Amino acid sequence: MKKTPPDINLNKKSERREFLKTAWKILGLVAATELVFLTFNLLRPGKDQKKSKTAANLKIIGNVEDFLPGSVTPDRVNKVYMVRQKDGGFLALSLICSHLGCSVLWNEEKKQFICPCHSSAFDRLGNVINSPAPRALDYYPVTIEGGKVKIDTGQKIKRKKFDKNQVTYAI
Ligand code: FES
């Protein structure tokens, strides 16, 4: 039997060692990537968590019949004014002034929201009548289900001015 020279044996061994080293590196990289992916998925809020967060932010603020058409009702707990339109629509306005964040007060006589800090005034739809407020009062999406009026306190929406799409109607 013919013997292989020692140099060739050494070369084959070192090639095998290099191959194994590379294979281990690739396996390590795959394992590390999977670990990062799993950790990310574990820490990221899932769809269910997002849904429950939204559900947690939906606050019932009363029954439809609690808000008379044309009325403005404060809800100090949720920091909103529920403005019921004469045609029955609901508009939930933030009571936080869009200037520097003081609480605006509804003046029934003037039919205006007035800020006690720097005298900004807003009409009953939240539009600016008197500066320095730079934009209309923010509003919250309203949902009406089973005769209950709910607002999504997790979604305070900024706006330049009133638009009829901001009003919700009971179906
Ligand atoms: S905070 Fe309301 S006008 Fe300045």
Side-chain angles (χ1 to χ4, degrees):
M1 200 168 136
K2 194 177 169 186
K3 262 194 161 184
T4 324
D7 274 1
I8 292 174
N9 270 343
L10 274 177
N11 274 347
K12 277 187 179 172
K13 272 186 182 173
S14 97
E15 274 174 26
R16 199 178 307 139
R17 205 174 293 135
E18 281 305 310
F19 171 78
L20 285 174
K21 262 189 196 174
T22 309
W24 277 114
K25 279 181 190 171
I26 290 170
L27 279 175
L29 202 64
V30 168
T33 306
E34 200 163 321
L35 190 68
V36 168
F37 181 75
L38 284 174
T39 308
F40 177 75
N41 268 345
L42 210 71
L43 297 177
R44 182 179 64 131
K47 276 184 187 174
D48 291 344
Q49 284 170 305
K50 278 183 191 168
K51 264 187 197 166
S52 64
K53 194 179 171 192
T54 305
N57 290 332
L58 268 186
K59 303 275 168 56
I60 297 174
I61 62 162
N63 297 313
V64 169
E65 61 272 12
D66 295 338
F67 307 96
L68 295 176
S71 66
V72 175
T73 312
D75 178 336
R76 300 265 168 219
V77 175
N78 295 303
K79 298 185 176 170
V80 297
Y81 281 104
M82 180 50 75
V83 181
R84 184 101 194 253
Q85 308 303 303
K86 287 187 177 131
D87 66 1
F90 289 85
L91 177 65
L93 296 178
S94 165
L95 59 71
I96 305 299
C97 179
S98 60
H99 180 224
L100 292 176
C102 292
S103 296
V104 297
L105 300 167
W106 174 245
N107 183 316
E108 184 64 39
E109 206 172 287
K110 291 184 175 175
K111 303 282 183 213
Q112 290 178 1
F113 296 99
I114 296 172
C115 181
C117 293
H118 313 100
S119 305
S120 282
F122 306 84
D123 66 16
R124 69 186 309 279
L125 300 171
N127 292 314
V128 178
I129 303 172
N130 245 0
S131 53
R135 57 185 166 76
L137 294 172
D138 299 341
Y139 77 100
Y140 294 96
V142 175
T143 309
I144 299 164
E145 280 174 348
K148 304 274 182 214
V149 182
K150 301 173 185 178
I151 55 166
D152 186 350
T153 54
Q155 274 198 67
K156 192 157 88 165
I157 301 171
K158 290 184 181 8
R159 61 194 181 142
K160 274 269 175 228
K161 59 182 176 137
F162 171 75
D163 183 284
K164 62 179 192 278
N165 293 330
Q166 296 156 3
V167 178
T168 302
Y169 293 88
I171 300 167

